[in-house]
């Protein structure tokens, strides 16, 4: 039986497809969807087995996740889309752009990687151990600490309305469980996009943006 992918789309114009990270839920992009719908056709979706999408295959890989996105775009008759991928979604976007360039005009990658290094492997194995032993809410709380670190917003009321402050102040909760998360972590740690990567000259021409205190994202090329 095939999985059913839940998706949302808004607006009219050149297409932008937003691909979520490890949590796999399209609602991660709600603010970006609302903003860019003024000028673009914007699409987000829940990955297989996440959110409101069904699951039929527990053996997930980044390639199979990219294949799901490819089918969705073909069903929606989307061609030459800007594909925006965060974290795991960035790995998915890399595969899609390499394998189906006819579907992708540009790729925007956020906090993602070409391959995992030892630091990343240790980090994610710690996170999955926390989920297994302490539960999904502890896992989510740890993820928030790792994301914002000591440089997160203060409790200053003047900053209380900012999205970043709300994200830090809101209690961490997860809607997915260990049996869903750990195969996805195994998939992202197994991903190695070097065989699909463009030549170094082309890679050097790309822009790379990261927060000053981003300790988890890998440098371009995947090596620390």
């Amino acid at each position: 039986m095939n999985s059913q992918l839940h998706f949302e789309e808004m607006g009219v114009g050149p297409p932008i497809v937003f691909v979520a990270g490890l949590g796999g839920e399209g609602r991660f992009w709600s603010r970006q969807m609302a903003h860019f719908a003024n000028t673009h056709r914007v699409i987000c979706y829940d990955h297989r087995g996440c959110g409101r999408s069904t699951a039929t295959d527990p053996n997930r890989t980044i390639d199979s996740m990219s294949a799901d996105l490819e089918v969705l775009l073909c069903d929606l008759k989307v061609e030459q889309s800007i594909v925006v991928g965060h974290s795991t979604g960035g790995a998915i976007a890399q595969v899609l752009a390499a394998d189906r360039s006819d579907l992708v005009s540009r790729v925007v990658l956020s906090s993602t990687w070409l391959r995992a290094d030892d630091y990343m492997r240790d980090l994610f194995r710690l996170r999955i151990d926390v989920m297994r032993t302490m539960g999904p809410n502890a896992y989510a709380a740890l993820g928030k600490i790792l994301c914002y670190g000591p440089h997160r917003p203060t409790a200053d009321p003047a900053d209380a309305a900012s999205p970043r402050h709300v994200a830090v102040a809101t209690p961490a909760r997860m809607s997915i469980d260990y049996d869903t998360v750990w195969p996805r972590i195994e998939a992202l740690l197994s991903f190695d996009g070097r065989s699909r990567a463009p030549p170094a000259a082309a890679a050097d021409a790309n822009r790379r943006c990261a927060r000053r205190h981003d300790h988890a994202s890998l440098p371009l090329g995947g090596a620390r």
Side-chain angles (χ1 to χ4, degrees):
M1 183 179 69
N2 293 327
S3 292
Q4 294 183 336
L5 297 185
H6 173 86
F7 70 93
E8 298 180 12
E9 62 176 321
M10 305 165 57
V12 177
I16 303 178
V17 179
F18 293 98
V19 190
L22 182 61
E25 296 190 33
R27 63 192 178 103
F28 175 85
W29 298 105
S30 58
R31 292 179 181 271
Q32 290 79 9
M33 290 278 288
H35 175 79
F36 286 102
N38 294 317
T39 54
H40 291 74
R41 178 190 181 190
V42 293
I43 300 166
C44 68
Y45 71 104
D46 294 344
H47 299 186
R48 183 190 298 239
C50 301
R52 287 164 284 184
S53 294
T54 60
T56 58
D57 180 10
N59 299 315
R60 299 275 74 202
T61 64
I62 297 298
D63 279 30
S64 66
M65 295 179 199
S66 176
D68 284 345
L69 177 56
E70 177 185 339
V71 170
L72 176 64
L73 296 183
C74 290
D75 285 350
L76 295 177
K77 300 186 183 337
V78 174
E79 295 181 355
Q80 289 297 292
S81 173
I82 299 172
V83 180
V84 182
H86 172 72
S87 189
T88 302
I92 294 170
Q94 291 176 56
V95 173
L96 182 71
D99 292 354
R100 290 297 307 268
S101 59
D102 57 311
L103 297 178
V104 181
S105 63
R106 300 176 185 175
V107 177
V108 179
L109 303 178
S110 163
S111 295
T112 191
W113 63 95
L114 189 63
R115 65 179 177 88
D117 67 357
D118 290 341
Y119 173 84
M120 183 174 174
R121 293 179 188 282
D122 289 345
L123 174 64
F124 276 92
R125 283 168 180 156
L126 169 64
R127 293 179 68 181
I128 200 61
D129 283 345
V130 168
M131 172 172 274
R132 178 175 54 82
T133 59
M134 301 177 64
N137 292 338
Y139 171 94
L142 174 63
K144 183 174 290 189
I145 292 171
L146 292 172
C147 177
Y148 292 103
H151 310 286
R152 55 187 177 177
T154 67
D156 185 345
D159 190 40
S162 74
R164 189 162 174 253
H165 185 278
V166 170
V168 171
T170 302
R173 296 289 185 269
M174 287 197 71
S175 59
I176 52 179
D177 58 17
Y178 174 79
D179 290 336
T180 300
V181 172
W182 79 259
R184 292 173 61 79
I185 288 180
E186 289 297 323
L188 67 88
L189 292 180
S190 299
F191 173 67
D192 188 338
R194 288 176 294 177
S195 64
R196 291 183 171 99
D204 289 342
N206 293 332
R207 292 186 179 183
R208 180 178 183 273
C209 299
R211 288 177 56 234
R212 177 178 300 173
H213 303 291
D214 184 350
H215 303 296
S217 296
L218 298 180
L220 188 64
R224 282 197 174 274

